[in-house]
Amino acid sequence: MSPSTQHTRRGLETKWPIAADLTGSGLPFRFEGEVADVIVYGEIPPEIDGTFYRISLDRFAAKENSVPIDGDGLISGFRIQNGYVDFKIKFVGTERYRLERSARKSLFGLYKNPWTHHPCVRAAVDSTGSTNVIRWAGKLLVLEEAGNPYEVNPDTLETIRYDPFADQVKAKAYTAHPKVDPFTRELVGFGYEAKGPGTKDIVTYALDHTGKKTEETWLEAPWCTITHDCVITKNWLVLLLWPYEASLERMKAGGNHWAYTPDRPACFVVVPRRKRSVAHWDKDEKFRFYNWKHCMNIHTAGAWEGDNGEIYLESTRVHGNVFPFFPGVDGKEGIGEAAADFVRWKIDPTQPSDSWLPDPEMILDLPSEFPRIDERFMSEKYKVIFLNVFIPQKADGSTNVFQGLNGLAMINTETRKQEFYYPGDNCFAQEPVFIPRRPDALEGDGWVMSLIEDRSSRLSELVFLDTRNFSKPIALAVLPFQIKSQVHGNWVEAKDLGERASLVDTPEVWPISHKGALEPL
C-alpha cells in the first residue's frame, strides 16, 4: 500500500481518516501559506496578467466517513504579472471554528479536539465545502451547491461573509456552475434543494453586472436529485439532472443523502431565461424536461440555438455510477463501467415535456472531463473545446475515470482537428482554463493553463500552453510541494480585479549596511 493510502504510519494510527481526492491522493493536505516568486521554467507571456483562483477539498478538522467531494473549501491563487508568479492557499470560512478552538484551548489547556463535536462549530465547518470560485459584481465568490456563496478577499483570501446576495433570493442553496452571458452581462444560475434537503424545489435566477437580480423562477423538479451543471443559450437555461435520489427518511436514519438509481434516465430540464410566453407552450408552463437512456452528464462545455430553435449542448457523459461512495438504493456499491466520452445533445423544446431525446452525436470517444470553451462565446455557437482526457497509449485506464485523466485536449469541432498535451508518465491533469491572446482574438487563440500533479516528483506545477502549438508547454510554474487536486477554478484578468494588493507578504525594505562581505573592494 502506498504512503498516500495508509491508515497507519510506523504502526501508529491517526484520527485523520483517509479520503481520496479526485485524482486519488488520500492524505489531508491541511496547509495554509504562500510562495513568493514561484520558480518558473520557460517564459510566461507578459500579456498574461491576472489571478488563477482554484478550489480544492480538504479537511480542516477530522471527520469520519469522508468522501472525495465532501471536505472543507481550500482556495488557492496563482497571481501572474510580468512573467512572475506568486501563490497563496487558505481554507474558506473556518473563522468560527478557529474562535471556538481558541476559546476552548484557553479554558481547558491542551486539547484533544473536543470542539469538533460541538454542534454549532460542526455545522459551521461542514458548510464550508466548496466546488468553484468566480468573480462577479466586484466580489470573489466561493461556490458550493449545498449552500450559498462565500465572499472572499481576492488578495488575502480571507473569508468576508456568507451569502452576499441573500436579500434578493430566498433560497438555501446555489449552484457551483453559474454561467456568465458576455452579451447581456448577466450571471445565470440556479439552486436545487432550494427549500432544504430532500425538497424537489429548484430556483433559477440571473444577476446583472452590479449584482442586482434580473430574473427569478421557482419550479419543482421531476424528482430530488443532484443537479450539478447547466448550459445557457440566448433564450434558454438547461439543467442536467444526475441519476441519484435524496431521501429525508434515509438521512434521518443516519444514511447517505444520495443514493444511486440505475433505473433513472438522464434528464434535461429546459427553462426559459425570460418570463414571457413561449411558442408551443401553455401559458402556465415554467419548464419542460426531456429524457435519454441511463447515464451521467457530469460537466458541460456550452450550448447554442439552431436555425429552427433547437438547442444544442455538449457535455461529458459517463455510463454507470462514477461515484461509488453513493451506493445504490439497494445499498450495494459499484462503479459500473469506466466508459466515458464527450457528446453533443439536440433538444427540440417544441416537443412535449417528458419526451425522449435522440442519441447524441459523438465528439470525442475518450474518457474526458472538465470541458471548457472560449467563454467570450458563452450562450452562442462555438467550435473550440479544451478538456482533461485519458490518453490510452500512455497509461492503464482500468481505474476510476477521474484518476485516469493524464492529459489535455484541444478539439475543433468544425475541422475535427484534435490536439493533445501529455505532461509525462505518472502525471495527472486538472481542469484547464483559457486566456484569449487579445480581447478581439479569434476564437481559441490564446493560452491554456492547467495544474499538473506529478506523482513521481510529488510536486504540483502550473503548465502554460500556447494554442498555436498545443502539444508543447511554453512555461511551467513549479510549486515546491504537491497540493490537493482541484475541483474547479477560473482565471480573473487584472482589469477585473481593480486595485490589487500583493497576494503574498511584502516585508519592509531594509537598507544594506555595505559592511563586512558587502563592503566594496
Side-chain angles (χ1 to χ4, degrees), residues 374 376-377 434 436-446 468:
D374 183 337
R376 296 174 298 164
F377 294 82
F434 172 75
R437 198 175 304 274
R438 297 181 308 276
D440 61 348
L442 295 176
E443 181 190 353
D445 181 24
R468 295 178 180 178

Side-chain angles (χ1 to χ4, degrees), residues 40 78 106 229 259 268 270-272 283 286 307 337 389 403 451 456 472 485 519:
V40 173
F78 288 87
S106 63
D229 206 350
F268 303 79
V270 178
V271 187
K283 63 180 181 179
K286 292 184 178 180
D307 295 337
E337 302 176 54
V389 295
Q403 298 180 33
L451 200 76
S456 298
K472 295 183 179 179
S485 73
E519 290 183 16

Side-chain angles (χ1 to χ4, degrees), residues 216-251:
E216 180 179 355
T217 300
W218 286 81
L219 56 95
E220 191 172 281
W223 76 96
C224 180
T225 186
I226 299 171
T227 308
H228 182 62
D229 206 350
C230 69
V231 293
I232 59 171
T233 67
K234 179 181 178 181
N235 295 297
W236 302 101
L237 166 67
V238 183
L239 312 176
L240 281 66
L241 278 60
W242 289 3
Y244 294 97
E245 189 162 15
S247 165
L248 199 57
E249 291 72 22
R250 184 173 60 244
M251 287 183 257

Side-chain angles (χ1 to χ4, degrees), residues 118-425:
H118 187 285
C120 174
V121 178
R122 196 61 258 150
V125 175
D126 280 346
S127 71
T128 64
S130 305
T131 307
N132 206 351
V133 53
I134 63 168
R135 177 76 168 176
W136 190 253
K139 298 176 174 64
L140 187 65
L141 303 174
V142 171
L143 310 176
E144 199 275 332
E145 59 203 51
N148 284 302
Y150 280 85
E151 182 183 356
V152 172
N153 185 295
D155 299 315
T156 66
L157 304 187
E158 293 281 350
T159 303
I160 298 174
R161 58 176 171 166
Y162 178 69
D163 199 9
F165 304 117
D167 293 339
Q168 300 189 78
V169 180
K170 306 299 183 184
K172 297 183 179 180
Y174 188 62
T175 177
H177 286 290
K179 305 299 180 185
V180 174
D181 187 329
F183 305 100
T184 64
R185 299 179 70 193
E186 289 177 298
L187 182 71
V188 184
F190 65 95
Y192 69 92
E193 289 189 309
K195 293 184 179 179
T199 63
K200 295 191 290 184
D201 301 277
I202 293 178
V203 60
T204 71
Y205 59 96
L207 304 171
D208 69 14
H209 70 281
T210 68
K212 183 179 179 180
K213 181 183 70 176
T214 58
E215 298 285 341
E216 180 179 355
T217 300
W218 286 81
L219 56 95
E220 191 172 281
W223 76 96
C224 180
T225 186
I226 299 171
T227 308
H228 182 62
D229 206 350
C230 69
V231 293
I232 59 171
T233 67
K234 179 181 178 181
N235 295 297
W236 302 101
L237 166 67
V238 183
L239 312 176
L240 281 66
L241 278 60
W242 289 3
Y244 294 97
E245 189 162 15
S247 165
L248 199 57
E249 291 72 22
R250 184 173 60 244
M251 287 183 257
K252 289 179 177 178
N256 287 333
H257 190 132
W258 302 108
Y260 175 59
T261 52
D263 57 335
R264 291 280 189 187
C267 185
F268 303 79
V269 175
V270 178
V271 187
R273 281 183 57 183
R274 311 293 175 197
K275 288 183 179 177
R276 56 173 177 253
S277 61
V278 177
H280 309 288
W281 285 31
D282 294 338
K283 63 180 181 179
D284 59 345
E285 279 189 284
K286 292 184 178 180
F287 71 97
R288 288 184 176 181
F289 69 93
Y290 301 93
N291 307 306
W292 191 76
K293 305 167 191 175
H294 179 80
C295 71
M296 290 179 62
N297 298 293
I298 298 183
H299 289 110
T300 65
W304 66 91
E305 295 172 30
D307 295 337
N308 298 317
E310 64 272 34
I311 302 168
Y312 294 94
L313 69 93
E314 295 177 335
S315 74
T316 57
R317 178 180 64 168
V318 177
H319 302 280
N321 183 13
V322 75
F323 296 134
F325 41 80
F326 293 145
V329 289
D330 57 3
K332 295 181 180 179
E333 296 186 6
I335 193 169
E337 302 176 54
D341 48 35
F342 183 76
V343 297
R344 178 181 297 166
W345 302 91
K346 179 182 177 180
I347 300 174
D348 181 356
T350 67
Q351 293 298 305
S353 190
D354 207 10
S355 299
W356 288 78
L357 298 180
D359 291 347
E361 176 187 353
M362 181 69 69
I363 303 297
L364 181 65
D365 191 12
L366 282 176
S368 53
E369 251 307 324
F370 305 111
R372 301 297 293 265
I373 65 172
D374 183 337
E375 295 184 358
R376 296 174 298 164
F377 294 82
M378 185 67 74
S379 79
E380 294 201 346
K381 194 173 188 325
Y382 59 89
K383 60 188 177 187
V384 181
I385 307 159
F386 309 98
L387 312 95
N388 293 142
V389 295
F390 168 66
I391 301 175
Q393 297 87 351
K394 302 292 186 179
D396 172 18
S398 62
T399 57
N400 180 301
V401 62
F402 284 105
Q403 298 180 33
L405 300 177
N406 59 355
L408 297 166
M410 180 172 69
I411 300 171
N412 186 314
T413 58
E414 189 175 273
T415 65
R416 296 293 174 172
K417 182 178 181 181
Q418 299 179 358
E419 299 178 73
F420 296 91
Y421 169 67
Y422 180 66
D425 295 344

